[in-house]
Amino acid sequence: MQMDFRRTIHLNIRRYDLSENPDVLKKTIELSSYIDCNNLKGELQKLFDINDEKVIKIRNKDGVLVPISFLLDSKDNSFFIDITKVSYIDKNCASLLQDAYVDAVKQKIRTLESRIAQSELLLPQLEWRRQAYMEDTVSALTNKVAFLNRRFDELSPQFRAKFPETIA
């Protein structure tokens, strides 16, 4: 059988949902070693009368935001709890911006897909053009070599006349 250890936590509560410069309310709570994060969150929401329009921010003694699990696991026993309203400018505006962003990304993907499809269509044509260019180059070189061979054959008797063969 496991023992139920209780842990005492000192909370410094600031209610930004009630005023812009709240006073710090000090509260002490005891936590069971068996409580999990979801139950702890529910207990804190009940304790501070929090609904979905408010947020609990937990900070350590240095003022750094920490997850709710730190209340259970941390060696510190003093935390700041900030309770604030959910802040957003305008749900419709945020939604419009998000929709515009999603539409822009979708358009970029469609454009990229279109460019890939065009590239796939052009690749066989590029291969054919490369092959045709190589054939034209080989044909031109063959014609030039044939011309040089003819010229050499035409000049060959004159060249041999200048250098008579020796009879061996």
Side-chain angles (χ1 to χ4, degrees):
M1 177 182 235
Q2 292 181 340
M3 300 282 292
D4 183 20
F5 295 104
R6 298 199 97 17
R7 181 167 178 207
T8 302
I9 306 289
H10 302 284
L11 301 176
N12 299 308
I13 304 157
R14 298 181 286 203
R15 300 286 308 239
Y16 289 99
D17 60 331
L18 302 177
S19 73
E20 290 194 22
N21 294 321
D23 294 331
V24 176
L25 304 169
K26 297 193 183 282
K27 190 164 198 123
T28 303
I29 60 172
E30 284 193 20
L31 299 178
S32 168
S33 61
Y34 294 120
I35 195 166
D36 65 346
C37 291
N38 290 330
N39 290 337
L40 178 57
K41 183 178 179 183
E43 291 296 321
L44 290 176
Q45 286 176 339
K46 285 181 197 172
L47 182 66
F48 301 125
D49 189 30
I50 306 273
N51 57 20
D52 290 340
E53 292 293 319
K54 296 179 184 174
V55 176
I56 298 173
K57 296 181 181 180
I58 302 170
R59 299 180 187 276
N60 62 11
K61 63 184 174 187
D62 298 325
V64 177
L65 283 173
V66 295
I68 199 165
S69 63
F70 273 47
L71 291 176
L72 302 171
D73 302 332
S74 177
K75 293 179 182 175
D76 291 337
N77 64 351
S78 178
F79 293 91
F80 286 92
I81 303 288
D82 295 338
I83 301 170
T84 63
K85 294 180 183 176
V86 174
S87 61
Y88 50 85
I89 296 172
D90 184 11
K91 286 183 181 178
N92 293 336
C93 178
S95 177
L96 289 175
L97 287 175
Q98 184 178 10
D99 292 344
Y101 179 76
V102 169
D103 288 342
V105 170
K106 285 181 181 178
Q107 181 61 34
K108 288 284 187 185
I109 290 172
R110 281 192 294 270
T111 303
L112 186 60
E113 288 173 346
S114 172
R115 291 173 65 187
I116 289 171
Q118 288 175 355
S119 297
E120 288 174 345
L121 290 174
L122 290 176
L123 280 176
Q125 291 179 8
L126 290 174
E127 182 65 27
W128 177 78
R129 285 183 182 176
R130 187 183 69 80
Q131 185 67 28
Y133 175 76
M134 292 301 289
E135 288 173 0
D136 289 345
T137 303
V138 167
S139 176
L141 287 174
T142 303
N143 289 339
K144 290 177 183 175
V145 168
F147 171 77
L148 290 174
N149 281 338
R150 279 193 312 268
R151 283 297 289 158
F152 182 73
D153 289 341
E154 289 172 1
L155 296 174
S156 180
Q158 296 171 4
F159 181 73
R160 286 188 188 145
K162 289 184 181 179
F163 299 103
E165 280 187 42
T166 58
I167 301 176

